[in-house]
Amino acid sequence: MKSNLRNEIKSYIVRQGMTMQEVVDLLADEYGWSDSVSNLSNKLQRESLRYTEAVQLADMLGFEIVWQKRRDK
């Protein structure tokens, strides 16, 4: 399961035509994140990304996280 989450986020980065380094540089400039790719990669690997970090990451990729009520089946 862990690699699925990491791969999903990495695929969003690739689909936006960006590299991990570019994303990390933007996050460092905008939000004061570490400018280390390995830092982000390790957080994704360990699934230790905080919610605020996920929101900021989504923002850098041009997305927003939306809470939507599930449809009852």
Side-chain angles (χ1 to χ4, degrees):
M1 183 67 115
K2 284 187 180 186
S3 64
N4 289 339
L5 179 61
R6 185 181 91 223
N7 289 337
E8 183 178 344
I9 292 175
K10 282 184 162 185
S11 73
Y12 281 113
I13 292 170
V14 170
R15 280 187 248 160
Q16 294 308 314
M18 300 177 81
T19 65
M20 290 277 282
Q21 186 64 61
E22 290 170 328
V23 171
V24 165
D25 289 344
L26 289 171
L27 289 166
D29 290 345
E30 185 72 22
Y31 297 109
W33 283 36
S34 164
D35 62 355
S36 164
V37 171
S38 62
N39 236 10
L40 176 57
S41 190
N42 288 337
K43 284 183 180 204
L44 296 177
Q45 180 74 30
R46 291 188 312 262
E47 292 188 355
S48 62
L49 195 68
R50 294 179 180 161
Y51 182 73
T52 55
E53 293 170 330
V55 170
Q56 293 168 352
L57 177 57
D59 180 51
M60 285 299 101
L61 297 175
F63 293 91
E64 55 185 49
I65 298 174
V66 177
W67 289 56
Q68 183 175 351
K69 182 81 171 155
R70 286 185 289 217
R71 293 184 186 158
D72 291 333
K73 293 185 179 185

